[in-house]
Amino acid sequence: MTTSSLLQASGLRKTFGDNVVLDGVDLDVPEGTTTAIIGPSGSGKTTLLRSLNALTVPDAGTVSIGDVSVDFGSLPRGKEGRRACERLRAQSGMVFQSHELFPHRTVLGNLVEGPVQVQGEDPDEAAARARALLEQVGLAGREDAYPSQLSGGQQQRVGIARALALRPRVVLLDEPTSALDPELVGEVLAVVRDLASQGWTMVVVTHEIRFAADVADTVVFVDGGHVVERGPARDVVDAPQHERTQRFLERVLHPG
Ligand SMILES: Nc1ncnc2c1ncn2[C@@H]1O[C@H](COP(=O)(O)OP(=O)(O)OP(=O)(O)O)[C@@H](O)[C@H]1O
Ligand SMILES: [Mg+2]
């Protein structure tokens, strides 16, 4: 990959009580690429992803997105530290397992809220961009619907559009399909695939290993708070080098 890194994390450490969840994790995501994070339940994938936008504040390590950099090991206490975290958070858009849309706002209302209230965008411009984003996620014409009137897959696609509406430099997705009924998974993965092909920079935690192999540029396997293996997506999935990766993939690709 010749492009330069847009997101870099190094030496991330996070301990909950005496549970060392991240034990010195590095990550390097070139602009315009998709990185998939895979690994067993409880291995720290969500903690890692949340650390990238300071929703979880690591005990040590640095995260840089573009020219915004936070050294968590020397984060100032109080307001100054919080501001640094907010600046970093503004660089990325987060898509959660379940969408967390505002139930009393229409689809359009959900999409324009952040750009208008937080970023001070002109409401008409925000609405025009929101409509274009809805079209991109296959929901043109649904702007006046309320979340409860949509299927889970449609709601999750609104959640993705809402993250994009904030014009983030990086999109972070934490198992965007794992709360969905199986028949709804495909439509959401298709949107993520589309974003990858358009050159969005993304980090996606996923249990969809085949999807990771097909869509991601890089796969990172984490276990026990460490990056055990990383490499080109197909290489890691189809020819894992590390014994722990081999065992994990064997278990998830050929259960029972
Ligand atoms: N806020 C918290 N307080 C205490 N422990 C936590 C907290 N968040 C996560 N943990 C612990 O950190 C470890 C890693 O959790 P994390 O959610 O990052 O794993 P994961 O890889 O995302 O798992 P899954 O695949 O099940 O989503 C777990 O042991 C979990 O119990
Ligand atoms: Mg998780």
Side-chain angles (χ1 to χ4, degrees), residues 45-46 97 174-175 205:
K45 303 180 299 296
T46 293
Q97 223 166 60
D174 190 5
E175 298 193 38
V205 172

Side-chain angles (χ1 to χ4, degrees), residues 23-45:
D23 193 8
V25 171
D26 302 335
L27 202 66
D28 196 334
V29 182
E31 180 149 33
T33 69
T34 295
T35 293
I37 299 175
I38 62 172
S41 182
S43 59
K45 303 180 299 296

